[in-house]
DNA sequence: CGACTTTATGTCTCTGAGTGACATAAAGTC
DNA sequence: GACTTTATGTCACTCAGAGACATAAAGTCG
């Protein structure tokens, strides 16, 4: 197992006089392990299907017992979440850093969408396949939706702040849901229609950026 | 058990010479049973929490074995779906009957939203409580999201048709997702903020209609 | 009425997800 | 090496959910 065995990294900042003993895993290390389990799970889900893969198999693929898998993830399907949430987290960060008064449609190009957008990173192709799997695997679909759903309150807060409204106001709440849904639909559309037609990475990324640009445009226009 | 026992209703139109034997349950009868199980499940979920209620208990509450519960629903949490989907189905019907060229914001008032809108019907209060439960019960949240998610393709087709575009075009797909999300967010906001402040039925319904009107307005405006 | 047929539900059994309790190993301090 | 804390493994358990089969319900036809 390349993953979960031992190997505590040094915590950078000393907490105020921690008692002696084995130092706990850093959050970074935990995230690494989670990601390793996630990749193994996706590999199995794609090749065998979700129902046919057991927690035991997922653990074995990383050299870990099933019990440990459940310590890192609350359910079998949720093992894919780190792959899903990476892209959304980048968008949420972009939105958070975005100042008030500026139009939303500047988010991606200013933030180097080619590298930082959703579906970026080393798992681009994997996540694409995973999103496609969402169509046939209801359990994965649920995780996919849940991942976006959990980002929604943060969007709502940001939009409410920009508009100078209370955080639980109806309008920014609805706008956040719409913004979120537009992004999700765009990523899905990309994964389903244009992903595998462009094996070349840069072309594919350009397509994705264009798709997201349309999403922001439609979000700004509204549904007529 | 008031529910699932026997009692086949007469199929209205004879299928072309069905062979002899016990007639199958009509779809209406099946829907009745599903609804009865759903109500019992919600009752238990609200009072005990989801984790604490077993399939056996749900079945017992309707006088049916757990095996039968799984014949009507694929999972414990999905027992609540009939309550959730009723409102969305009404909206989908409204949208389907809506002619091309007309603005979306006429949907509800013309369709007597007070009686036919989401959260209408005898289960109005129950569904409100259920939507609130969604905040603390991830399993129910997943069903709630899934219910709306499944309505999305129909919305996308309707919008694509209105715009004279192919069904899988990017823009109507995104618009459908936004429209859907706006409705969902509005219903949630209503259930969380204004539902129990108006125990009076008509006042509550008026509030809901107003909330939905805002949702359609925001959907039409877009997120600025 | 009873023989026959089809459907709905119950019973039994099994796999696997997920949890809690406890044992053991890893990785540090003194 | 003694001691402490954390991470993981092992074992035992509950329950969700599915498959196989038996039985009951509800009809038709003689």
């Amino acid at each position: 197992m390349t993953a979960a065995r031992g190997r505590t990294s040094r915590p950078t900042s000393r907490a105020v006089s921690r008692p002696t003993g084995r130092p706990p895993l850093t959050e970074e290390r935990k995230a690494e392990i989670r990601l390793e389990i996630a990749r193994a799970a996706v590999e199995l889900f794609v090749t065998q299907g979700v129902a046919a893969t057991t927690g035991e198999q997922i653990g074995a693929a990383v050299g870990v017992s099933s019990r440990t898998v459940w310590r890192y993830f609350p359910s079998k399907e949720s093992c894919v979440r780190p792959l899903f949430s990476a892209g959304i987290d980048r968008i949420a960060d972009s939105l958070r850093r975005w100042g008030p008064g500026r139009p939303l449609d500047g988010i991606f190009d200013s933030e180097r969408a080619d590298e930082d957008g959703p579906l970026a990173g080393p798992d681009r192709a994997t996540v694409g396949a995973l999103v496609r799997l969402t169509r046939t695997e209801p359990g994965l679909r649920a995780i996919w939706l849940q991942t976006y759903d959990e980002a929604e309150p943060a969007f709502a807060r940001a939009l409410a702040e920009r508009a100078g409204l209370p955080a639980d106001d109806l309008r920014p709440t609805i706008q956040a849901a719409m913004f979120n849904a537009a992004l999700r639909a765009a990523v899905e559309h990309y994964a389903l229609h244009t992903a595998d037609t462009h094996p070349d990475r840069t072309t594919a990324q350009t397509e994705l950026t264009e798709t997201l640009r349309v999403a922001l445009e439609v979000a700004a226009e509204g549904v007529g």
Side-chain angles (χ1 to χ4, degrees), chain A:
Chain A
M1 99 308 289
T2 86
R5 195 56 57 172
R7 264 177 64 195
T8 43
S9 326
R10 231 173 205 302
T12 46
S13 79
R14 246 297 149 263
V16 272
S17 101
R18 211 183 61 78
T20 177
R22 174 180 179 172
L25 297 183
T26 63
E27 288 307 311
E28 296 74 32
R29 181 68 190 127
K30 283 186 190 170
E32 282 178 31
I33 299 176
R34 280 176 60 89
L35 191 55
E36 234 177 301
I37 297 177
R39 292 205 179 103
V42 171
E43 170 81 17
L44 290 166
F45 288 165
V46 171
T47 56
Q48 312 180 339
V50 176
T53 78
T54 72
E56 210 72 43
Q57 291 178 356
I58 298 174
V62 228
V64 142
S65 79
S66 73
R67 190 65 182 81
T68 299
V69 174
W70 307 137
R71 285 205 180 86
Y72 280 89
F73 294 98
S75 76
K76 185 169 66 170
E77 292 86 357
S78 64
C79 288
V80 308
R81 283 211 46 172
L83 280 309
F84 280 159
S85 54
I88 307 173
D89 290 347
R90 293 198 191 90
I91 297 177
D93 285 345
S94 298
L95 189 62
R96 204 170 303 122
R97 282 195 298 267
W98 203 242
R102 298 193 237 175
L104 279 175
D105 56 4
I107 287 189
F108 292 117
D109 14 73
S110 83
E111 293 288 338
R112 301 168 301 128
D114 292 354
E115 302 164 28
D116 284 348
L119 283 187
D123 297 304
R124 207 195 92 253
T126 309
V127 176
L130 202 50
V131 174
R132 256 167 276 145
L133 238 200
T134 303
R135 303 300 288 256
T136 52
E137 297 278 5
L140 295 187
R141 182 82 191 163
I143 300 293
W144 172 242
L145 295 176
Q146 187 191 9
T147 307
Y148 275 86
D149 183 56
E150 288 179 5
E152 219 171 275
F155 291 165
R157 276 192 299 274
L159 290 173
E161 197 175 346
R162 284 164 55 99
L165 292 170
D168 62 343
D169 190 83
L170 175 59
R171 284 170 177 273
T173 301
I174 294 175
Q175 287 178 329
M178 288 170 58
F179 175 74
N180 205 16
L183 289 177
R184 177 180 57 72
V187 174
E188 277 178 39
H189 191 275
Y190 167 80
L192 292 175
H193 292 89
T194 66
D196 41 5
T197 62
H198 294 293
D200 167 37
R201 178 183 306 229
T202 43
T203 318
Q205 276 292 358
T206 311
E207 287 282 351
L208 176 55
T209 308
E210 171 61 14
T211 306
L212 290 173
R213 200 192 56 70
V214 174
L216 291 175
E217 193 178 300
V218 174
E221 286 171 359
V223 16

